[in-house]
Amino acid sequence: MEQRRLGANGPEVGAIGYGAMSFSDMYGPTNETESHAILNACRDLGVTHLDTANVYGMGKSESAIGTYLKANPGARDEFVIATKATITKDADGNRSFDNSAEHLEAELDKSLQRLGLECVDLFYAHRRDPRFTPEETAANLGRLVEKGKARAIGLSEIAPSTLRRAMKVFPVAAVQSEYSLSTRAPDLGLVQACAELGVAMVAFSPVGRSLLTDHPIPRERIADLPFLSTNPRFMEPNLTENLRIMEGFRKLAAEMGTTAAGLANAWLLTRGPHVIPIPGTRSVEHLRECISGAALTLTAADLERIEAVLPVGWAHGDRYSDAQGIGPERYC
């Protein structure tokens, strides 16, 4: 697989990584055996960047990676592992964020224990805590690099202005944001700022939480998934419209001899050599579909055809509900 660098001075990783939120039960029940099968497939396919977080299944995702690494000692050297912290709850049980040095270190210590590691390759602030300036958050993360608990720092769901301010205090290796053919807000400054500053742009949900695939999550399952059942793009009448529009994209992918997921990831790889999609799935077969995008070379004519069937702003409904949208910085 093509290699891309995770930050200006970071390690090279496969152009497409893996988002391990799917090791939790976010999109349906899973277990350690299935998660380990995905990690075996990642090694076979050249997927070397694993992305997880402390809140994915409240430690379940990190623990699955940790038990795999323990059972396969040589695998640690094959993977570049990132995790995140910041999302927590206040005294009343409401979702909140904490970018304090104490919280970040305490949560990273727990993550390291679950992963069975002394150091992660990349540690993100999962959301920006408005009580702290970008400079303060960068400094708090940077201290963990200085302590040897992380090799690099990242920021998630932030504005370009936040990145620029943070970079003045400590080098940021990666910015993570939802980015796909159905969510293109990062094109309005974030992708460009990352390129300018030598920061990797890690694109999560690159297949639109299954919309940009040949097998979207069935309607009957959506009702059982708390996140999707309240997500505007998966609620009626938006869902019917989105599925209707996606028929054209699936047809185009078939005409081009690939899958919709493969084409969606291939499109992201054309957005810049610093863009690294991290699709997540509970299925080895679906993982292969996503990774197939790394082998595609899209021409200008191909991109025009994609744009014709999925023009900017085609999706019906916002990417998040009001409750889900608390935390990500809006900058456009």
Side-chain angles (χ1 to χ4, degrees):
M1 188 187 298
E2 174 198 349
Q3 301 295 293
R4 297 193 168 191
R5 194 166 292 281
L6 197 61
N9 300 307
E12 288 191 335
V13 295
I16 298 179
Y18 179 76
M21 180 184 280
S22 295
F23 289 172
S24 69
D25 299 323
M26 182 75 170
Y27 296 114
T30 188
N31 57 52
E32 194 171 88
T33 299
E34 293 174 342
S35 297
H36 286 189
I38 290 286
L39 291 171
N40 281 331
C42 284
R43 296 172 74 184
D44 292 340
L45 295 167
V47 176
T48 56
H49 181 44
L50 303 180
D51 179 271
T52 185
N54 62 340
V55 295
Y56 294 169
M58 302 312 295
K60 181 177 180 179
S61 174
E62 292 176 328
S63 294
I65 295 172
T67 55
Y68 182 86
L69 295 178
K70 184 176 181 179
N72 300 272
R76 175 62 185 103
D77 294 334
E78 299 176 32
F79 289 128
V80 173
I81 299 173
T83 193
K84 303 180 283 292
T86 285
I87 299 175
T88 186
K89 291 184 178 180
D90 62 21
D92 297 321
N94 299 312
R95 191 176 197 233
S96 63
F97 312 104
D98 192 344
N99 285 177
S100 68
E102 297 76 15
H103 179 80
L104 289 169
E105 184 166 13
E107 290 302 312
L108 177 55
D109 285 344
K110 295 174 189 175
S111 293
L112 290 172
Q113 185 174 16
R114 286 189 288 265
L115 291 163
L117 302 177
E118 295 183 357
C119 175
V120 290
D121 299 296
L122 177 61
F123 184 55
Y124 291 91
H126 208 161
R127 294 289 187 271
R128 181 182 169 190
D129 178 349
R131 299 175 302 166
F132 294 84
T133 67
E135 292 86 352
E136 290 169 331
T137 295
N140 290 342
L141 290 167
R143 290 190 189 99
L144 298 174
V145 175
E146 293 165 355
K147 288 185 174 185
K149 296 183 179 184
R151 293 191 175 97
I153 71 168
L155 301 170
S156 178
E157 295 273 50
I158 58 155
S161 56
T162 293
L163 173 61
R164 294 182 187 282
R165 290 175 62 180
M167 285 287 283
K168 294 178 180 179
V169 174
F170 201 91
V172 177
V175 167
Q176 187 170 132
S177 186
E178 183 173 356
Y179 186 31
S180 70
L181 277 163
S182 54
T183 298
R184 295 175 65 172
D187 281 331
L188 299 177
L190 189 58
V191 175
Q192 296 88 338
C194 287
E196 174 191 337
L197 298 170
V199 176
M201 172 76 209
V202 178
F204 74 81
S205 295
V207 295
R209 307 183 196 280
S210 84
L211 282 177
L212 297 164
T213 73
D214 293 318
H215 30 71
I217 294 174
R219 293 173 184 272
E220 58 270 21
R221 279 192 50 221
I222 291 174
D224 297 325
L225 300 175
F227 180 87
L228 289 188
S229 64
T230 58
N231 183 276
R233 291 183 178 171
F234 291 83
M235 299 171 68
E236 295 296 355
N238 295 335
L239 178 60
T240 292
E241 287 300 308
N242 289 331
L243 292 175
R244 178 186 62 80
I245 295 169
M246 270 303 302
E247 290 176 3
F249 184 68
R250 287 194 290 273
K251 180 180 178 182
L252 175 61
E255 291 174 356
M256 295 173 67
T258 188
T259 63
L263 188 57
N265 281 288
W267 177 86
L268 274 169
L269 294 178
T270 70
R271 308 307 286 177
H274 62 304
V275 176
I276 302 171
I278 50 167
T281 178
R282 297 173 299 141
S283 162
V284 171
E285 178 185 354
H286 296 169
L287 177 65
R288 291 182 184 278
E289 291 181 10
C290 289
I291 302 309
S292 69
L296 297 176
T297 300
L298 300 182
T299 66
D302 293 330
L303 295 175
E304 289 177 4
R305 295 176 72 190
I306 293 171
E307 202 74 26
V309 296
L310 293 183
V312 176
W314 68 270
H316 288 241
D318 200 349
R319 73 181 181 110
Y320 283 149
S321 66
D322 289 344
Q324 293 164 352
I326 297 173
E329 287 194 283
R330 294 178 173 86
Y331 51 91
C332 302

